Amino acid sequence: MRTVFPHRLPKPRKAWRKTALISLLIFLLLITLIGRPALHLAKTAWKDTEEREPPQAGFVDDASRMNATEISEVWPVPHNPREAEKQLAQLFARARSEGVPVSIAGARHSMGGHTLVPGGIMVDMTTFNDMELDECQNLLHVQAGAKWSQILPWLDRRGKSVAIMQSNHSFTVGGSVSVNCHGWQYGSPPIASSVDSFRLMHADGSILHCSRTENPELFSLALGGYGLFRLILDLDLRIVPNERYRLEQATVPVEQALSTFDTMIEDPDVAMTFARMNIMPDQFLNDVIITVFYRDPEPSESLPELTEIPLAAIRRPLFRGSSNSDYGKKLRWQAETKLQPHVRPNYFSRNQLLNEGVEVFENRSADYTDILHEYFIPRAGLTEFTTALREIIPRHHQDLLNVTIRQVDVDEDTFLRYADQSLFSFVMLFSQPRSDKGDRQMKKLSIELIDAAIQAGGRYYLPYRLHATPQQFHRAYPQAKQFFALKRVYDPQELFQNQFYLKYGRSLEIDQR
């Protein structure tokens, strides 16, 4: 018996076309999902070249690249301590006799001319950077020009870490304490709380030792004193052990952010925290990524090596690609919430988290610059301030790149304190044109945001653009009149000056005459 196999019937033309169309659509969808992000990042990386040029001869600028100032000279401090003290005294004597003001500069990462004075001498502290460790007292003795990028590897080799510092390592110690910076170390006041003592050189070349018990008024004035109360030579800083941390994150609607944060910090091992807000235009400030690091010692007591944080190569184009691009902002948020949790490590050393420079994200364009804002808001004013941000920022059409939130405890050490209570800091980064028009537009935004912060019971941070009106400045810092009066007591010849002083302190003196 012969078996008869039925003939295979060809697929109907319609069915074949449908299958082909579906396949094509799937292929195009994959290309769209993968291709567009890749194309956007490649385009960003291609355009991301070094276009910045130094100021013209005789001029110096700061990190804003909006403060080019003509000065008489840049004076690097000798590396040898004895020579430094001797030559600084001679420099101050010459400046006093010639009537030339002096400004103090480190890495110059402030943005309002705080390290510059027109026609003055700029003392460059960055060459003055030696350090030694007192392991018995757990103190780091360090010269004021040392950068955290030099300190962290040095401490890491000794199993130690910095107690309080900014989120980047590009700043000098002297600059950090002069602006009384804060960090993302949970439950910590600003950096002044970690300063045990320092040495201060007067305009006549004499040197005073300052601490909470010795010359305590100068101690409180020079910390957070913006270089106006003599020159800080070196400091003793409290240090802490380097430890292994475990990372945990939660992405929640902004309405749930505080309750989620409160839950996440119940663990006594919480060590560092920060949050980042969604800046996508169609979801503006509606969601928050809360990041918490917990102490989680390795049984073997081994720590991750002090290497660059992974994914740095992709993080820069992701960040820079969000400038002037709604799509780039959306891509960055999706990468941080959907992709990053699956590819990042879960464990870091404390030093590893702190060991990152501003160059990872900084703007290299010749025509645009990145400008920081920072506002300190009490818990009770968070909803009011966030509501104001949602209304004010879009109305000004400024290019917001980032909003990071950190917690700061009460400052009990400095005179010109911003943290007179426990506060949350809103750190914002904007990209703006490097032009007079761009600066005027940013100033209008700044003035509105400062008013909103004061209305919410808070204040603004002083190291950035000098956009606040004198009235706003004194509303935010009512102790400023006495601060500047004491400056003229301790520096009657007003040798130490900068643009911050010229706008808010010197002008006040003239008004009172």
Side-chain angles (χ1 to χ4, degrees):
M1 184 177 176
R2 187 176 62 171
T3 303
V4 179
F5 293 93
H7 293 288
R8 290 188 176 176
L9 298 174
K11 287 184 178 180
R13 202 171 192 68
K14 266 188 175 178
W16 180 86
R17 284 180 176 173
K18 185 176 180 181
T19 303
L21 182 59
I22 291 171
S23 300
L24 179 61
L25 288 173
I26 292 172
F27 175 74
L28 290 174
L29 180 61
L30 288 172
I31 289 295
T32 303
L33 291 174
I34 300 172
R36 188 180 181 191
L39 182 63
H40 179 79
L41 295 176
K43 184 179 177 182
T44 300
W46 178 260
K47 290 183 175 181
D48 186 24
T49 56
E50 181 57 80
E51 299 176 347
R52 296 170 295 182
E53 294 183 356
Q56 60 180 298
F59 286 75
V60 181
D61 208 338
D62 57 25
S64 71
R65 293 192 288 143
M66 298 292 292
N67 279 316
T69 302
E70 188 171 13
I71 63 173
S72 63
E73 66 179 288
V74 176
W75 196 88
V77 176
H79 184 75
N80 180 276
R82 288 186 179 178
E83 277 301 308
E85 292 169 18
K86 175 184 173 183
Q87 293 185 32
L88 276 167
Q90 294 170 348
L91 174 73
F92 292 167
R94 172 166 65 88
R96 289 163 64 202
S97 67
E98 296 175 359
V100 178
V102 171
S103 65
I104 315 299
R108 285 181 281 130
H109 276 285
S110 53
M111 294 186 170
H114 299 74
T115 56
L116 309 168
V117 60
I121 299 169
M122 188 187 82
V123 176
D124 179 3
M125 297 293 296
T126 55
T127 50
F128 198 59
N129 54 21
D130 278 350
M131 63 196 87
E132 58 182 294
L133 181 62
D134 182 342
E135 294 200 50
C136 295
Q137 299 295 322
N138 243 8
L139 292 175
L140 175 70
H141 181 75
V142 59
Q143 293 173 342
K147 294 181 180 180
W148 300 117
S149 58
Q150 298 165 323
I151 293 170
L152 283 166
W154 193 88
L155 285 178
D156 191 77
R157 292 192 293 271
R158 293 158 176 82
K160 303 295 184 180
S161 184
V162 176
I164 300 170
M165 62 172 277
Q166 305 94 320
S167 58
N168 295 109
H169 69 199
S170 306
F171 316 103
T172 62
V173 174
S176 298
V177 300
S178 292
V179 303
N180 195 26
C181 75
H182 67 92
W184 38 310
Q185 296 81 26
Y186 174 70
S188 295
I191 192 173
S193 64
S194 70
V195 178
D196 185 75
S197 63
F198 56 83
R199 292 193 310 143
L200 197 66
M201 177 174 277
H202 185 43
D204 63 6
S206 60
I207 297 174
L208 290 176
H209 187 268
C210 299
S211 69
R212 290 172 182 82
T213 57
E214 191 175 357
N215 298 304
E217 186 172 67
L218 270 174
F219 182 84
S220 71
L221 288 164
L223 296 177
Y226 294 88
L228 298 176
F229 289 85
R230 312 177 181 181
L231 183 144
I232 297 175
L233 288 167
D234 44 47
L235 310 93
D236 287 327
L237 292 179
R238 179 173 57 84
I239 56 172
V240 296
N242 188 24
E243 300 173 306
R244 191 182 82 149
Y245 292 158
R246 181 185 76 256
L247 166 62
E248 291 189 12
Q249 287 184 318
T251 302
V252 297
V254 69
E255 295 80 10
Q256 300 174 20
L258 272 177
S259 59
T260 303
F261 176 73
D262 289 342
T263 300
M264 294 179 75
I265 61 171
E266 286 177 355
D267 189 322
D269 284 320
V270 61
M272 301 173 77
T273 66
F274 70 92
R276 196 186 314 282
M277 302 189 82
N278 187 345
I279 59 169
M280 289 163 40
D282 59 344
Q283 296 290 325
F284 190 61
L285 308 186
N286 285 349
D287 305 290
V288 182
I289 305 171
I290 300 173
T291 301
V292 180
F293 294 92
Y294 300 92
R295 296 178 189 86
D296 193 343
E298 172 69 29
S300 66
E301 297 185 359
S302 63
L303 287 169
E305 292 184 10
L306 188 62
T307 55
E308 285 189 358
I309 295 176
L311 306 176
I314 191 68
R315 286 164 62 223
R316 178 172 175 85
L318 264 175
F319 183 83
R320 294 311 327 170
S322 67
S323 180
N324 288 309
S325 171
D326 290 350
Y327 172 75
K329 290 174 173 60
K330 181 178 180 180
L331 178 62
R332 182 183 171 213
W333 182 258
Q334 290 177 333
E336 290 182 342
T337 56
K338 307 295 184 186
L339 175 63
Q340 186 172 284
H342 301 289
V343 296
R344 58 159 169 73
N346 291 321
Y347 295 93
F348 303 84
S349 74
R350 180 186 179 92
N351 287 339
Q352 198 175 21
L353 294 173
L354 299 172
N355 193 42
E356 182 171 81
V358 297
E359 63 275 3
V360 174
F361 299 118
E362 68 182 351
N363 196 327
R364 298 170 182 163
S365 166
D367 300 323
Y368 286 82
T369 187
D370 292 347
I371 297 297
L372 281 162
H373 292 217
E374 187 165 355
Y375 304 93
F376 299 100
I377 309 298
R379 187 181 181 109
L382 290 176
T383 299
E384 179 182 352
F385 186 65
T386 304
T387 301
L389 294 182
R390 285 202 189 101
E391 190 276 324
I392 295 171
I393 295 174
R395 177 159 48 80
H396 283 265
H397 305 289
Q398 292 290 341
D399 185 23
L400 178 63
L401 302 182
N402 197 53
V403 181
T404 302
I405 304 173
R406 301 163 192 167
Q407 181 266 347
V408 190
D409 262 12
V410 180
D411 173 11
E412 297 180 348
D413 290 299
T414 69
F415 191 96
L416 197 64
R417 63 176 60 89
Y418 53 84
D420 57 353
Q421 57 184 305
S422 182
L423 297 165
F424 289 88
S425 77
F426 286 68
V427 184
M428 306 178 200
L429 186 67
F430 293 88
S431 175
Q432 72 159 67
R434 291 183 63 223
S435 64
D436 290 341
K437 181 180 178 181
D439 195 45
R440 287 194 301 271
Q441 291 173 335
M442 184 60 71
K443 183 176 181 178
K444 290 178 182 178
L445 170 64
S446 300
I447 287 173
E448 280 206 53
L449 292 178
I450 291 168
D451 277 341
I454 294 172
Q455 180 64 34
R459 53 178 52 87
Y460 71 102
Y461 196 25
L462 297 174
Y464 303 129
R465 303 292 289 142
L466 305 182
H467 286 159
T469 66
Q471 293 76 18
Q472 286 180 316
F473 169 70
H474 288 286
R475 282 177 65 201
Y477 294 88
Q479 71 274 46
K481 288 184 180 180
Q482 188 179 359
F483 173 83
F484 289 129
L486 288 168
K487 186 263 189 303
R488 288 183 280 276
V489 170
Y490 285 108
D491 181 21
Q493 284 189 268
E494 297 177 288
L495 178 68
F496 302 106
Q497 297 187 27
N498 55 34
Q499 292 185 27
F500 168 71
Y501 178 64
L502 295 181
K503 177 163 185 176
Y504 299 115
R506 193 78 182 277
S507 60
L508 177 68
E509 177 192 21
I510 293 170
D511 290 344
Q512 291 176 338
R513 286 176 179 171

